[in-house]
Amino acid sequence: MTISNSAAREDETCVAFDFDGTITTTDSLRDFVRYQVGNRCFLIATLLVLPWLVGMFTGLCSRAEAKARFLAITLRGRTQVELEEAAARYANERLPMLVRPEMIERIEEHKRRGHRLVLVSASPTLYLGHWARAAGFEAVLATQLEFRDGRFSGRLASPNCWGPEKVRQLQQWLGDAGGRVRFAYGDSRGDQEMLAFAEHGWLRGLGALPSLDAWPERLHQG
């Protein structure tokens, strides 16, 4: 989902942020589901999805399959209106408590410099769109849920936005004008391709946030 359909121009600086673990202190999808269904149902769902989680880590199934199974167990059958209302409440009431203050400061610094911000995440656009608009992001490239006849089908409507898929969606958003991603921020294996795609990439855990005026080359390598 893009908040703005306009592609980046070649002379513009674009900044890509991962969300979970980079901007936040925890995984927002798990937190959203717990927020929606309660602790008891969340625990039961976690136990039921264990075979798919094991399969994901052993290579027997994909991350997308494991995520869809978890969401199907917890949220399938909920109406689109119900989930959209829950997502708006979550973005306004709960999500701000998970956000790292230093990342908000970095986002604001990029905005002061006139940079175009894009959020690139494997979590759902369902609630990320609400948060990103309020935070000043121009676009959200993330995973979409499938709704049929007004209800969540338990499936994903788009590829899981993780790893190489992040770069594919960024390239599509950048468009024919050839805009560039100058800065990118991530925290995990799923962000490595995006960090390599950017001119300057920062991976949480490999040092403090560098100054934008003196960003060392390829911080994410090593």
Side-chain angles (χ1 to χ4, degrees), residues 41-183:
C41 289
F42 178 85
L43 178 59
I44 293 171
T46 301
L47 294 174
L48 291 174
V49 82
L50 271 178
W52 284 268
L53 294 177
V54 172
M56 180 182 74
F57 287 113
T58 58
L60 295 177
C61 75
S62 68
R63 287 178 175 269
E65 290 174 303
K67 176 182 290 185
R69 177 60 59 174
F70 174 67
L71 291 172
I73 291 171
T74 52
L75 301 179
R76 182 168 55 191
R78 304 283 178 113
T79 69
Q80 185 169 359
V81 171
E82 178 185 5
L83 286 178
E84 288 178 349
E85 290 177 349
R89 290 195 302 271
Y90 177 74
N92 292 329
E93 299 172 4
R94 170 67 179 167
L95 203 47
M97 295 187 288
L98 308 182
V99 172
R100 301 176 189 269
E102 73 272 16
M103 297 308 294
I104 292 297
E105 292 177 8
R106 178 52 60 99
I107 289 167
E108 292 301 320
E109 184 175 359
H110 280 294
K111 287 162 59 177
R112 287 193 297 269
R113 293 170 181 244
H115 298 167
R116 299 179 70 180
L117 307 184
V118 54
L119 193 64
V120 190
S121 175
S123 286
T125 57
L126 187 69
Y127 55 82
L128 288 183
H130 293 284
W131 183 87
R133 287 188 188 93
F137 281 78
E138 181 170 329
V140 176
L141 310 177
T143 306
Q144 299 182 45
L145 307 186
E146 180 185 81
F147 292 92
R148 292 184 179 179
D149 300 321
R151 293 184 180 275
F152 175 48
S153 69
R155 298 182 178 184
L156 305 182
S158 69
N160 189 39
C161 192
W162 187 91
E165 180 62 20
K166 290 193 172 190
V167 173
R168 190 193 70 78
Q169 292 200 27
L170 271 171
Q171 290 173 322
Q172 184 177 13
W173 178 70
L174 289 168
D176 295 334
R180 61 179 181 170
V181 176
R182 187 174 181 193
F183 303 102

Side-chain angles (χ1 to χ4, degrees), residues 8-25:
R9 297 196 305 268
E10 188 173 2
D11 60 343
E12 292 180 312
T13 293
C14 300
V15 186
F17 284 86
D18 169 59
F19 190 67
D20 297 305
T22 301
I23 292 177
T24 67
T25 58

Side-chain angles (χ1 to χ4, degrees), residues 180-191:
R180 61 179 181 170
V181 176
R182 187 174 181 193
F183 303 102
Y185 300 83
D187 81 302
S188 70
R189 167 65 189 88
D191 302 314

